[in-house]
Amino acid sequence: MAKLIVLSEGLTGRSIELKSERTTIGRVEDNMFQIAEPSVSSHHCEVYLKDNAFVVKDLGSTNGTYIEGSQVTESPLKPGQTLRLGQVELRLDDGTTPPAPPPKKALDHNQTVGIKLNDLSSGPKPVNPETDKIFKKKSNKINQYFIAAGVILGLVVIGLIVKAMLGS
C-alpha cells in the first residue's frame, strides 16, 4: 500500500496510507492528513489516484507545493520523489523503493571563548565602582529637557485656562 512519509525533523515518521480516492493534506483537522506546522496552509493540497498514478494538486496554498524542488499546481508524484508543502518534506513510498536515509543533523561544534588558563589561576580581579567605566553614571540631560518642556507646556495650559475664565 502506498503512503506518504514525513521526512522533516520534528515530524519524522508520521505517515498516511493513501487508501481513499482523494487524500487532503493541510494544517487544520478536517484534512485526512493534518500537519500542524505554520508553513503548511489550512487546506494545502490533495493527492488522488489517476490512471494508476498518484497526482498532487495544490489547493491555493500560501507557501506552495513542490515536487523535487519544482513548484507544481497539479502534477504526478512518483514513488521515491520528495513532496514539499511549505517547509515540510514528505516522500511517496509504494513499498518497493528503499527507505531514504534520515536527514543529517548539523554537527555540534564546541568552542572555547575568551578565557586563558593563566587568567583562571590569578583569581578574580578587584572591581572599583568609582573608577571602572562600566559603573559610569549616564547623562541626565534628556530627562532635564523633558521636564523643562513639561513645565513650559503646563504654564501655557494654565495661562490659557486663566485667560478663558477672565475673558468670558
Side-chain angles (χ1 to χ4, degrees):
M1 172 75 41
K3 61 183 174 179
L4 282 173
I5 302 170
V6 180
L7 303 174
S8 296
E9 202 170 316
L11 300 169
T12 307
R14 290 197 57 212
S15 65
I16 184 167
E17 288 188 6
L18 301 173
K19 298 186 240 181
S20 60
E21 189 175 308
R22 291 188 181 274
T23 302
T24 57
I25 304 170
R27 191 177 65 244
V28 295
E29 23 182 274
D30 66 347
N31 289 288
M32 295 179 79
F33 190 36
Q34 180 188 11
I35 302 175
E37 205 281 330
S39 67
V40 176
S41 292
S42 54
H43 297 99
H44 201 102
C45 70
E46 67 180 5
V47 179
Y48 62 92
L49 195 58
K50 180 180 180 183
D51 299 328
N52 291 330
F54 288 101
V55 178
V56 176
K57 180 180 179 184
D58 185 85
L59 298 175
S61 65
T62 303
N63 293 318
T65 301
Y66 297 81
I67 295 177
E68 295 297 323
S70 298
Q71 189 167 9
V72 299
T73 52
E74 191 166 2
S75 180
L77 179 65
K78 297 175 184 161
Q81 286 187 315
T82 302
L83 170 66
R84 183 167 54 88
L85 312 177
Q87 298 298 318
V88 177
E89 288 192 344
L90 305 100
R91 181 176 39 85
L92 178 62
D93 182 8
D94 67 351
T96 62
T97 55
K104 294 180 181 177
K105 289 186 178 181
L107 296 175
D108 182 25
H109 296 284
N110 293 328
Q111 184 178 16
T112 304
V113 180
I115 296 177
K116 296 178 184 172
L117 184 60
N118 293 341
D119 292 342
L120 292 174
S121 62
S122 65
K125 295 182 180 178
V127 176
N128 185 348
E130 299 193 13
T131 59
D132 284 352
K133 291 180 182 178
I134 60 171
F135 294 104
K136 185 178 176 185
K137 191 172 184 177
K138 292 184 179 180
S139 172
N140 211 10
K141 285 188 178 186
I142 291 179
N143 288 344
Q144 291 172 351
Y145 290 134
F146 277 115
I147 291 171
V151 169
I152 292 170
L153 184 62
L155 290 174
V156 168
V157 169
I158 291 172
L160 289 173
I161 292 172
V162 169
K163 183 177 178 182
M165 292 174 91
L166 295 177
S168 339

